[in-house]
Amino acid sequence: MHKDDLLLVQNRTFDEIAVGDSASIERTLTAQDIQLFAILSGDVNPQHLDAEFASSTRFHGVIAHGMLGGALISAVLGTRLPGPGTVYLGQTLNFKAPARIGDRLTISVRVTERHEASKRLSLACACINQDGVTVIEGQADVIAPVERISMPRTTLPEVRLLGSDNGLLRLLEHVRPMGAVATAVVHPCDALSLSAALDAQAAGLIVPVLVAPRAKLQAVADDNQLDISALRIEDVPHSHAAAARAVALAASGEVAALMKGSLHTDELMSAVLACPDLRTGRRLSHCFLMQTPSYPRPFIITDAAINIAPNLDEKADIIRNAIGLAQAIGVQQPRVAILAAVETVNARMAATLDAAALCKMADRGQITGAIVDGPLAFDNAVSIAAARIKGIVSEVAGRADILVVPDLESGNMLAKQLEYLGGAASAGIVLGARVPIVLTSRADSRESRIASCAIALLLANRAREAA
């Protein structure tokens, strides 16, 4: 590519073109390409958009619209050969093989005939994937420009897809038939946490048991016009006592879930850790269940809230907990990506060594129920195209359901970046105890808090069925 190609779009006139001249572009196909074409064309055939449906077809996965390839051929004709000023007269297309997400396509045109009097050109067209397989072939007939055109390239607007289906609504519809779960809400002594408990109750998710100083709780309710008159209140003197009492309620089976209020996370987690009847022998860990417009499925980030710098054994438990959550939401064999800065094992980077060891543990049956791979850099974990460019052959790369971060700092930054810059919706839950623990932040949205309670209900119901 000439450096001017990055700045200018320019043509070749009819007189400058000879039989045999050719031009091409390369394009790595993404899920967003297919979605945008579906929006533009109105072709919402599930073969192109629904991974679950597409997996049951003879193509065994999502494929691109055939005419998307035709549009890419048009791009070569309109920007490279002949370029601006070209008039399209006709196009034949033969579809030889499917184009899939992550395919690196080479789209080329080659002049086969010139017609001097009419300034017409015939061009052979082809679209070939990274394996040398011809996806599309055909012929274009155009009128070539007769005057030289050179113009600055147009900067196209950024298009961002926002899913029309509401993940929270679908989650609520799924869990509501299970019935509300008795939940100890620990020290909800501010408007935000008390409102969250009442919102979750109104959504049919929890039966709140408020564990807090009664006078303080009532003052918050009165100041914010919140009605708690019908709720059970466990009167305790302070937040430490609230944590201890809530844990005791869970240990005795009076409640099936815990929900953090306005106390510090350490207070609640310390009380849980101090109660042998709530321990399972597995490390406590936190999972963010996230959904973002730019990724085709919900995914889990762990651990971004509890374990600061987990060692190998602790990471193994973190993975086991996340696998259980993934299975609870219907992913029976989740794909687990062990994240690091690079995708190769490096003795100077501990995260890559842990990733390699965790994969071998999975191979030996020490971690079960999932496909585990790593180390994988973030781009390789979530982008099939990025993985293919780097030559990574993996059942996990580009399709991860669970992202296991090296430490809390990196996980927390990743989750917050996805939420605040990537438009992700999230729910947070602590696993590894005998009851699910809703662990929300003061900055969490109302939707995030309700979604977290929905996950807690789902897990509590699963535990009830297993008992």
Side-chain angles (χ1 to χ4, degrees):
M1 178 183 289
H2 190 277
K3 66 179 181 179
D4 286 346
D5 290 342
L6 298 174
L7 303 175
L8 303 173
V9 57
Q10 43 198 346
N11 67 0
R12 295 171 63 182
T13 66
F14 180 86
D15 291 338
E16 295 172 323
I17 297 173
V19 171
D21 287 352
S22 63
S24 65
I25 60 173
E26 282 194 359
R27 178 72 171 263
T28 299
L29 194 63
T30 68
Q32 190 174 46
D33 292 332
I34 297 174
Q35 293 162 1
L36 285 170
F37 192 84
I39 292 170
L40 182 65
S41 66
D43 183 353
V44 293
N45 180 344
Q47 177 67 76
H48 309 305
L49 301 170
D50 188 325
E52 184 176 355
F53 171 84
S55 66
S56 66
T57 69
R58 66 190 182 96
F59 295 110
H60 304 293
V62 168
I63 62 171
H65 305 74
M67 293 308 296
L68 174 54
L72 294 174
I73 291 172
S74 176
V76 183
L77 295 169
T79 64
R80 297 294 177 86
L81 182 68
T86 298
V87 177
Y88 229 143
L89 295 176
Q91 176 78 62
T92 62
L93 296 171
N94 296 309
F95 303 102
K96 312 294 261 184
R100 303 178 184 276
I101 296 170
D103 278 355
R104 188 178 69 254
L105 304 176
T106 300
I107 305 96
S108 61
V109 300
R110 177 177 53 83
V111 178
T112 56
E113 295 181 45
R114 296 175 81 256
H115 303 277
E116 186 72 38
S118 61
K119 309 302 181 186
R120 291 178 58 172
L121 299 174
S122 294
L123 302 98
C125 309
C127 180
I128 300 172
N129 70 17
Q130 69 282 352
D131 298 320
V133 175
T134 298
V135 175
I136 300 174
E137 63 181 13
Q139 176 178 303
D141 293 304
V142 303
I143 297 176
V146 295
E147 296 180 349
R148 191 83 166 138
I149 299 174
S150 180
M151 301 179 64
R153 280 189 173 271
T154 300
T155 300
L156 295 175
E158 181 180 352
V159 178
R160 186 175 177 192
L161 294 175
L162 299 175
S164 59
D165 62 333
N166 188 309
L168 175 59
L169 289 179
R170 287 186 287 111
L171 178 60
L172 292 178
E173 289 170 2
H174 177 68
V175 301
R176 272 201 187 105
M178 300 174 185
V181 62
T183 302
V185 187
V186 189
H187 202 259
C189 291
D190 63 7
L192 198 60
S193 55
L194 184 55
S195 296
L198 295 176
D199 285 342
Q201 179 192 31
L205 302 174
I206 71 171
V207 177
V209 177
L210 307 181
V211 188
R214 182 184 292 273
K216 189 172 184 179
L217 192 62
Q218 192 63 57
V220 171
D222 292 344
D223 289 345
N224 295 276
Q225 298 181 326
L226 301 172
D227 183 8
I228 60 172
S229 59
L231 300 183
R232 173 182 170 184
I233 298 175
E234 290 286 317
D235 189 13
V236 294
H238 45 64
S239 60
H240 286 287
R245 179 60 182 150
V247 164
L249 291 172
S252 68
E254 290 188 64
V255 299
L258 298 173
M259 181 177 180
K260 175 180 171 288
S262 59
L263 77 172
H264 196 278
T265 298
D266 286 348
E267 287 185 82
L268 179 55
M269 290 299 102
S270 295
V272 173
L273 291 170
C275 180
D277 291 336
L278 281 190
R279 303 302 304 278
T280 62
R282 188 176 287 181
R283 184 83 176 178
L284 295 182
S285 64
H286 181 272
C287 287
F288 276 116
L289 177 61
M290 309 199 80
Q291 188 164 23
T292 179
S294 57
Y295 199 61
R297 65 184 67 84
F299 59 97
I300 293 166
I301 295 176
T302 189
D303 179 346
I306 297 292
N307 294 281
I308 296 174
N311 60 30
L312 182 63
D313 286 338
E314 291 164 354
K315 286 182 179 180
D317 264 358
I318 287 169
I319 293 171
R320 295 180 185 110
N321 287 341
I323 292 171
L325 174 57
Q327 292 173 339
I329 63 173
V331 185
Q332 291 308 310
Q333 191 177 42
R335 297 179 176 91
V336 180
I338 315 297
L339 297 186
V342 296
E343 63 278 355
T344 54
V345 177
N346 186 323
R348 293 175 294 177
M349 302 178 71
T352 68
L353 297 176
D354 282 354
L358 290 163
C359 290
K360 185 53 64 177
M361 291 172 72
D363 289 344
R364 294 288 188 264
Q366 293 171 267
I367 298 172
T368 60
I371 304 170
V372 182
D373 196 11
L376 288 171
F378 178 76
D379 57 343
N380 304 321
V382 300
S383 168
I384 292 175
R388 285 188 175 171
I389 287 169
K390 292 191 174 181
I392 298 171
V393 179
S394 165
E395 292 185 70
V396 174
R399 297 177 293 171
D401 301 298
I402 299 171
L403 303 175
V404 181
V405 297
D407 53 38
L408 185 147
E409 287 183 312
S410 59
N412 195 271
M413 286 188 283
L414 174 59
K416 295 298 173 62
Q417 286 163 358
L418 288 170
E419 181 179 357
Y420 287 96
L421 296 180
S426 69
I429 201 80
V430 173
L431 306 168
R434 295 198 182 279
V435 299
I437 303 168
V438 177
L439 196 65
T440 54
S441 163
R442 288 186 299 274
D444 285 343
S445 67
R446 176 179 179 272
E447 290 77 11
S448 177
R449 291 169 183 269
I450 291 176
S452 298
C453 290
I455 296 297
L457 170 56
L458 183 66
L459 293 170
N461 186 68
R462 184 180 174 90
R464 185 166 56 239
E465 290 178 344

